[in-house]
Amino acid sequence: SFGNLLPSELILLSSIFTLVFPIASFGFEPADDSVMKNPPHIVGQKLFNLKNVLVSMGIGAGIALVPFIVSLFNFDMPYAPTSMFVSLVLTLILYLYSSRSNEFFFKRLLKNRFMFISSIVCLAITIILVATPINSVFGIESMTNDGWISSLILPFIVPTIFETIKLVRLFLKK
C-alpha cells in the first residue's frame, strides 16, 4: 500500500521507475563518431580518481539544484512537490541526452530510437502521474500554469551548460 509512504518517497519512487527505461537505453547507444579520436585508456590507470569523483558530485549537485530552484519559485504553493518532481524527471532526461557524447545534443537526438521513445514514455508517465486524478494517490497537488512554466523551462539549464562546455572545448581545440 502507498499509504505508509510519505509524498516525497512516492515522488522519488515514481521518478526512479519512470527513468529506468531511458537509462537502460544506453545499451542501445550507437558508437560515437569521435570515439577513435580519443586516446586509448592507459593500462593500470584507475577508472575513478578524486577528480572524477568531484566532477560527478558537482554534476549531481547541479542536477539537484534545478528542482530546488523550481521549488523556490513555488515554495508557498501546495503543488511545490509536484513541480519538483516534474523538473527532476525532465532535468535527468535532458542530462542523459546532453552528457552521453561529445557531439552536440540535437545532432544525436534521434540516433538512439529506443532512448528517444523511452524518454517520451517517461514524460508521458510523469504527466499522467501529475495531471490526472492519480496524483491524489501520491498526495501531490495539480499545478497551475506558473508551476508548469517553471517546471518545464528551468530544466533546460542543464543541457545549455553542457552544450556550452562542448562549444568551449571545441573552440579551444582549434
Side-chain angles (χ1 to χ4, degrees), residues 70-71 74 77-88 126-127 129-132 135 140-153:
V70 168
S71 73
N74 305 308
M77 302 297 178
Y79 57 78
T82 310
S83 64
M84 287 181 68
F85 169 60
V86 171
S87 66
L88 177 65
T126 301
I127 291 169
L129 288 173
V130 168
T132 65
N135 64 7
I140 53 179
E141 301 286 329
S142 296
M143 289 192 289
T144 63
N145 289 340
D146 292 341
W148 280 105
I149 290 170
S150 62
S151 299
L152 296 176
I153 291 177

Side-chain angles (χ1 to χ4, degrees), residues 31-80:
D32 191 351
D33 294 338
S34 65
V35 73
M36 295 306 288
K37 296 176 185 173
N38 296 332
H41 181 72
I42 299 170
V43 176
Q45 182 183 20
K46 292 181 180 178
L47 184 59
F48 292 105
N49 57 31
L50 183 59
K51 178 186 172 192
N52 292 346
V53 170
L54 291 175
V55 167
S56 295
M57 289 172 57
I59 290 169
I63 290 172
L65 188 63
V66 172
F68 177 73
I69 291 170
V70 168
S71 73
L72 291 178
F73 281 103
N74 305 308
F75 73 94
D76 60 345
M77 302 297 178
Y79 57 78

Side-chain angles (χ1 to χ4, degrees), residues 101-109 163 166-167 170:
S101 170
N102 289 330
E103 291 182 337
F104 292 106
F105 180 99
F106 292 106
K107 187 174 181 183
R108 292 186 61 87
L109 185 63
E163 297 305 304
K166 290 176 191 179
L167 277 173
L170 183 66

Side-chain angles (χ1 to χ4, degrees), residues 1 13 34 61 63 76 81 87 90 117 138 161 163 173:
S1 160
L13 178 69
S34 65
I63 290 172
D76 60 345
S87 66
L90 187 56
I117 292 168
F138 290 89
I161 291 170
E163 297 305 304
K173 281 185 178 181

